[in-house]
């Protein structure tokens, strides 16, 4: 039991990331409210970044900025995961912006944020 | 000739530059620029194909000459240039043939942004087909998602806005899963370049270390890209997305964008996981089953649809099912058939959307009940629709026939799956024939009552050029299938060997 708890504690970031990812995924897929869907998307993306950031961090090592004469790479962490996270954040910000713009357009037209209601109204509008 | 290896990078960069320039150009100039760009890209990849054939080896292009664990690379043999040459040509013809609809469907003043989106889609297709780095792949997957969403939502109907939000949500679920899979792979291997990843995965698989993490990441990456490609049961966004977009967008989205993701998946299977690991992991069986169900479900849904544009969109779902079924069958003949089908679908589906829109315009709607005798009113559109429908069914002399023949052959590559594959092929061909021929027969049934006005060639010149070019490509590839198949075979070998 103690062993299991220790293992769990060691991989606490991964566990948290998986839980958050699942929460975001389900919200994005199943929630009817568009704004909540977008929040779900952001939780999902953040979970992925949490995982990547935690993997890229090694205890007792320095951030990848050269300190004085210390040129031994073993003293620093790998800068790549942080770079990937930054790229990912840029991507998710722009996608969120597009989604919000679409939501605003839909809200102006149908005065609702519920996907099902909007779908029904759109069907009526086009007669399909 | 050495210079030609720079062309993919130049082409992708040129697309990005043009998309920035197009945003400030007047509308007509933006259109001309986009058409010229598509033509140029097609020529560039034609040259690269010739270079690849003459040198008979794949090229790894280092960007900035940084060596391989650090730098970013492109990789191309003969398959990538072939596909990109066809893709760029198809995009050119889509924009040409759908031009008059673009003018009707899009607001004045916003049309230039349409071309910005097209150029972004083209650049991301180039990057997805040529990149040797999985994270670059992820970034361009997202660029392509946002740009294709733009192609869709630029037509400002309530229905298209709703369709684009659905499309975006499904796409984001797909890319979220892909990203998570990628992170897990990076965590256990420490690499992002395909050859390094492949070596590391090979070693890990043999030692049995991190087996569950590897399997999870294979699943996540495959499912993520399959969701974006539109594999069953994630195809429900398709009819709305393709059906309500302006016809040029419908053609580009169904014929090209989804193929970009699928081809990237193929590269990941061949160059990252390695066919051996992938086919041992059992994920290929899942692809086969979902693909086969997708073929049938797509065909049945298409048969139930009376709106012709939505019917064609459902038929896309079924064709995507074929491609994934081929992936599931075997890494040799199965994948070969799938790649040929990628070409078939890219060349056959856009003219179907374009000609359906052209017929709908003269018939007064997209419901097939309105189409009585419309084939006589617009002969060229009727002919194009009929020929492409025959190609989708798989009549000899068309590309569709070669695809289906190749899938039939591929079935024998995997003894366990011969019977299911052949049954799926037969059932879907019957369904295809039924729903396409139902429309074609209606097109040529003379309508009672006075003859309406006829559309002549002169009045639809751009569409005529595009339609004839599409038909020539279709029959050309259909008749001269042998060299194309050999080329694809060779390209697949290069893809696998040059690790």
């Amino acid at each position: 039991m103690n062993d299991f708890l220790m293992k769990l504690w060691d991989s606490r970031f991964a566990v948290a990331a998986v839980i958050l990812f699942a929460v975001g995924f389900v919200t994005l897929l199943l929630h009817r409210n568009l704004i909540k869907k977008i929040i779900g998307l952001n939780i999902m993306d953040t979970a992925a970044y949490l995982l990547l950031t935690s993997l890229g961090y090694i205890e007792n090592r320095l951030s990848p900025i050269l300190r004085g004469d210390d040129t031994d790479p073993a003293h620093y962490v790998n800068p790549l995961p942080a770079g990937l996270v930054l790229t990912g954040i840029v991507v998710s910000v722009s996608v969120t912006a597009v989604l919000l713009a679409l939501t605003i357009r839909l809200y102006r037209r149908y005065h609702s944020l519920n996907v099902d209601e909007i779908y029904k109204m759109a069907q009526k509008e086009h007669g399909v | 000739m050495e210079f030609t290896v720079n062309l993919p990078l130049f082409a992708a960069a040129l697309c990005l530059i043009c998309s920035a320039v197009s945003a400030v150009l007047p509308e007509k100039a933006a259109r001309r620029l986009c058409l010229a760009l598509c033509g140029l890209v097609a020529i560039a990849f034609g040259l690269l194909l010739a270079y690849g054939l003459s040198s008979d080896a794949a090229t790894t292009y280092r960007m900035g000459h940084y060596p391989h664990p650090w730098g970013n690379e492109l990789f191309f043999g003969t398959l990538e240039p072939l596909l990109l040459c066809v893709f760029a040509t198809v995009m050119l013809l889509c924009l040409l043939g759908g031009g008059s609809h673009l003018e009707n469907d899009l607001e004045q003043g916003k049309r230039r942004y349409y071309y910005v989106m097209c150029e972004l889609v083209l650049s991301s297709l180039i990057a997805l087909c040529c990149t040797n780095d999985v994270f670059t792949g992820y970034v361009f997957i997202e660029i392509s998602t946002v740009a294709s969403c733009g192609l869709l939502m630029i037509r400002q109907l309530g229905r298209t806005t709703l369709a684009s939000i659905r499309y975006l949500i499904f796409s984001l679920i797909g890319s979220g899963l892909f990203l998570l899979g990628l992170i897990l792979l990076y965590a256990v291997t420490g690499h992002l370049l395909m050859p390094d990843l492949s070596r590391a995965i090979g070693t890990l698989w043999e030692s049995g270390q991190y087996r569950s993490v590897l399997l999870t990441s294979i699943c996540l990456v495959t499912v993520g890209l399959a969701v974006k490609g539109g594999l069953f049961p994630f195809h429900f966004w398709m009819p709305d997305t393709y059906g309500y977009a302006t016809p040029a967008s419908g053609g580009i989205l169904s014929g090209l964008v989804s193929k970009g993701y699928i081809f990237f998946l193929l590269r990941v299977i061949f160059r990252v996981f390695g066919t051996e690991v992938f086919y041992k992991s059992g994920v290929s069986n899942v692809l086969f089953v979902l693909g086969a169900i997708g073929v049938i479900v797509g065909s049945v849904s298409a048969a139930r649809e009376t709106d012709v544009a939505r019917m064609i969109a459902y038929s896309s779902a079924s064709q995507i099912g074929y491609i994934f079924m081929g992936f599931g069958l075997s890494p040799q003949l199965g994948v070969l058939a799938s790649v040929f089908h990628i070409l078939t679908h890219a060349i056959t589906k856009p003219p179907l959307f374009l000609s359906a829109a052209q017929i709908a315009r003269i018939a007064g709607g997209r419901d097939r009940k309105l189409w009585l005798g419309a084939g006589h009113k617009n002969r060229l559109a009727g002919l194009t629709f009929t020929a492409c429908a025959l190609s989708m069914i798989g009549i000899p002399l068309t590309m569709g026939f070669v695809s289906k023949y190749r899938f039939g052959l591929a079935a024998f590559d995997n003894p366990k799956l011969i019977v299911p594959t052949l049954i799926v092929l037969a059932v879907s061909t019957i369904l295809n024939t039924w729903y396409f021929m139902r429309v074609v027969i209606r097109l040529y049934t003379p309508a009672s009552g006075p003859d309406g006005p006829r559309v002549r060639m002169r009045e639809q010149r751009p569409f005529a050029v595009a339609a004839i070019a599409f038909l020539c490509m279709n029959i050309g590839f259909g008749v001269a299938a042998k060299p194309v198949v050999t080329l694809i075979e060779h390209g697949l070998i290069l893809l696998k060997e040059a690790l």
Side-chain angles (χ1 to χ4, degrees):
Chain A
M1 188 63 193
N2 221 357
D3 227 30
F4 175 73
L5 282 180
M6 280 305 284
K7 260 190 185 164
L8 201 66
W9 178 249
D10 280 345
S11 51
R12 58 194 183 277
F13 289 113
V15 173
V18 168
I19 294 172
L20 280 177
F21 192 90
V23 169
F25 186 80
V26 172
T27 315
L28 178 60
L29 196 62
L30 299 179
H31 219 288
R32 306 325 308 168
N33 185 310
L34 280 172
I35 296 291
K36 290 191 181 169
K37 266 185 193 293
I38 298 172
I39 294 174
L41 164 77
N42 278 287
I43 295 176
M44 191 174 92
D45 280 348
T46 312
Y49 306 144
L50 172 68
L51 182 62
L52 195 50
T53 318
S54 66
L55 289 171
Y57 175 68
I58 303 169
E59 261 175 82
N60 302 326
R61 285 205 191 177
L62 298 168
S63 57
I65 301 165
L66 199 62
R67 309 266 168 103
D69 302 331
D70 191 358
T71 48
D72 184 3
H75 293 167
Y76 298 95
V77 296
N78 183 354
L80 200 58
L84 298 182
V85 169
L86 273 180
T87 318
I89 288 174
V90 172
V91 168
S92 77
V93 164
S94 37
V95 170
T96 308
V98 175
L99 268 173
L100 284 172
L102 279 170
T103 309
I104 292 172
R105 199 194 266 182
L106 277 178
Y107 187 77
R108 282 204 185 126
R109 201 179 180 105
Y110 298 108
H111 302 288
S112 166
L113 286 173
N114 185 312
V115 185
D116 290 340
E117 278 175 22
I118 296 175
Y119 193 67
K120 270 180 209 145
M121 282 188 258
Q123 270 184 330
K124 256 185 226 160
E125 197 180 49
H126 291 273
V128 180
Chain B
M1 274 316 253
E2 273 303 307
F3 175 76
T4 35
V5 295
N6 296 301
L7 286 175
L9 181 64
F10 284 178
L14 192 66
C15 290
L16 291 175
I17 294 168
C18 283
S19 68
V21 173
S22 292
V24 292
L25 281 181
E27 241 155 62
K28 271 196 176 155
R31 180 174 167 78
R32 281 192 198 126
L33 179 69
C34 188
L35 291 178
L37 179 73
C38 293
L40 261 180
V41 170
I43 293 170
F45 283 100
L47 280 177
L48 196 68
L49 178 61
Y51 173 76
L53 284 177
S54 68
S55 70
D56 199 33
T59 312
T60 304
Y61 181 82
R62 280 187 200 161
M63 288 199 258
H65 299 285
Y66 290 106
H68 74 100
W70 298 287
N72 199 339
E73 291 175 352
L74 297 178
F75 171 87
F76 37 89
T78 48
L79 190 55
E80 293 82 4
L82 171 72
L83 284 177
L84 283 168
C85 184
V86 172
F87 286 172
T89 317
V90 168
M91 185 178 270
L92 172 72
L93 296 176
C94 276
L95 290 175
L96 199 65
S100 63
H101 294 277
L102 285 179
E103 277 170 27
N104 286 344
D105 291 344
L106 309 187
E107 262 176 49
Q108 180 116 40
K110 292 209 167 157
R111 278 171 222 152
R112 70 169 83 100
Y113 299 118
Y114 189 82
Y115 301 109
V116 174
M117 298 301 162
C118 286
E119 283 148 4
L120 282 177
V121 165
L122 190 58
S123 80
S124 50
L125 277 175
I126 296 172
L128 280 179
C129 288
C130 289
T131 184
N132 208 15
D133 178 285
V134 276
F135 203 80
T136 309
Y138 166 72
V139 172
F140 276 95
I141 283 175
E142 294 287 32
I143 293 177
S144 157
T145 305
V146 173
S148 45
C149 186
L151 286 182
L152 187 60
M153 70 193 227
I154 202 158
R155 187 180 188 191
Q156 300 202 341
L157 298 174
R159 203 69 199 254
T160 47
T161 314
L162 191 61
S164 39
I165 220 162
R166 279 183 135 193
Y167 175 68
L168 202 52
I169 286 170
F170 270 102
S171 285
L172 292 175
I173 288 173
S175 42
L177 292 175
F178 176 76
L179 179 66
L180 197 63
L182 212 66
I183 291 172
L184 290 180
L185 269 188
Y186 181 63
V188 290
T189 61
H191 290 293
L192 288 171
L193 279 178
M194 289 183 179
D196 297 328
L197 263 172
S198 169
R199 272 191 289 276
I201 288 175
T203 327
L204 282 180
W205 187 265
E206 267 169 31
S207 68
Q209 220 184 349
Y210 297 124
R211 184 58 66 88
S212 54
V213 179
L214 265 185
L215 282 176
T216 317
S217 73
I218 292 177
C219 285
L220 286 172
V221 167
T222 314
V223 172
L225 287 171
V227 170
K228 293 184 80 86
L231 176 64
F232 173 87
F234 305 104
H235 67 283
F236 292 105
W237 49 266
M238 270 192 191
D240 279 3
T241 309
Y242 301 160
Y244 295 105
T246 179
S249 296
I252 292 173
L253 290 175
S254 72
L256 308 182
V257 174
S258 55
K259 302 303 170 317
Y261 305 135
I262 293 174
F263 188 65
F264 186 63
L265 174 63
L266 173 74
R267 280 171 67 94
V268 170
I269 292 174
F270 271 61
R271 292 182 54 74
V272 175
F273 302 134
T275 43
E276 217 166 275
V277 173
F278 184 78
Y279 283 86
K280 268 185 200 156
S281 70
V283 181
S284 58
N285 296 332
V286 179
L287 281 188
F288 176 82
V289 172
L290 291 181
I293 298 175
V295 171
I296 304 292
V297 170
S299 302
V300 171
S301 313
R304 288 172 50 189
E305 201 55 68
T306 54
D307 181 322
V308 179
R310 284 172 64 90
M311 180 192 94
I312 302 171
Y314 269 123
S315 150
S316 279
S318 142
Q319 309 305 323
I320 300 282
Y322 271 117
I323 296 172
F324 280 106
M325 197 172 83
F327 280 8
L329 270 176
S330 77
Q332 295 89 29
L333 289 180
V335 172
L336 179 68
S338 293
V339 175
F340 196 88
H341 201 63
I342 288 179
L343 287 176
T344 308
H345 193 234
I347 292 175
T348 315
K349 198 48 50 96
L352 271 174
F353 277 113
L354 293 178
S355 57
Q358 211 70 9
I359 296 169
R361 187 183 268 173
I362 187 108
R366 303 190 315 187
D367 198 306
R368 67 161 192 273
K369 290 179 190 118
L370 298 167
W371 282 27
L372 208 62
H376 297 293
K377 291 181 194 159
N378 189 341
R379 290 221 172 107
L380 180 70
L383 173 77
T384 313
F385 189 90
T386 311
C388 293
L390 290 178
S391 172
M392 281 280 118
I393 294 165
I395 303 292
L397 289 184
T398 61
M399 288 186 86
F401 170 72
V402 184
S403 284
K404 291 213 167 152
Y405 170 67
R406 282 278 146 195
F407 277 113
L409 277 184
F412 292 91
D413 222 15
N414 192 336
K416 273 182 265 169
L417 299 173
I418 295 176
V419 179
T421 313
L422 294 182
I423 290 176
V424 166
L425 276 176
V427 172
S428 103
T429 307
I430 293 169
L431 284 169
N432 268 332
T433 317
W434 183 46
Y435 65 76
F436 271 123
M437 281 302 119
R438 202 168 50 173
V439 179
V440 170
I441 290 170
R442 198 169 276 270
L443 269 181
Y444 290 105
T445 311
S448 55
D451 273 358
R454 267 196 187 161
V455 185
R456 300 195 184 284
M457 282 282 229
R458 287 200 294 283
E459 297 156 30
Q460 44 171 0
R461 221 169 253 153
F463 169 74
V465 173
I468 292 169
F470 270 125
L471 292 183
C472 291
M473 274 165 84
N474 200 327
I475 293 173
F477 275 96
V479 174
K482 185 97 193 175
V484 181
V485 169
T486 324
L487 216 161
I488 296 173
E489 218 169 1
H490 183 67
L492 286 174
I493 292 170
L494 283 183
L495 205 60
K496 225 182 328 187
E497 275 184 354
L499 277 174

